[in-house]
Amino acid sequence: MLVRARQRLRELVVQLEVAPFAQQTAESMRAYLDEDATRASSAFARWRRLPEQSRSSQVGQALRGQL
């Protein structure tokens, strides 16, 4: 979930840089808030409760594309 949310946020950043006031940008932002934000926030809270070593391992795996 966190990897997906991060990807969607990257896409939003690009839209905000390229067309900050476009209707599609506003729709994309609303869609993220409606579809992913709550679950991503919950997933991040669970991830933060993991021991530091587990979090570091998961970050390394994600960076290598293994998650």
Side-chain angles (χ1 to χ4, degrees), residues 37-50:
T38 300
R39 289 182 307 208
S41 179
S42 295
F44 183 73
R46 287 189 306 273
W47 181 80
R48 290 288 298 159
R49 288 190 299 267
L50 293 173

Side-chain angles (χ1 to χ4, degrees), residues 13 29 32 34 36:
V13 167
M29 290 171 58
Y32 174 78
D34 291 343
D36 291 324

Side-chain angles (χ1 to χ4, degrees), residues 20-39:
F21 303 106
Q23 182 65 30
Q24 179 60 43
T25 301
E27 290 172 6
S28 294
M29 290 171 58
R30 283 188 196 96
Y32 174 78
L33 292 173
D34 291 343
E35 299 165 11
D36 291 324
T38 300
R39 289 182 307 208

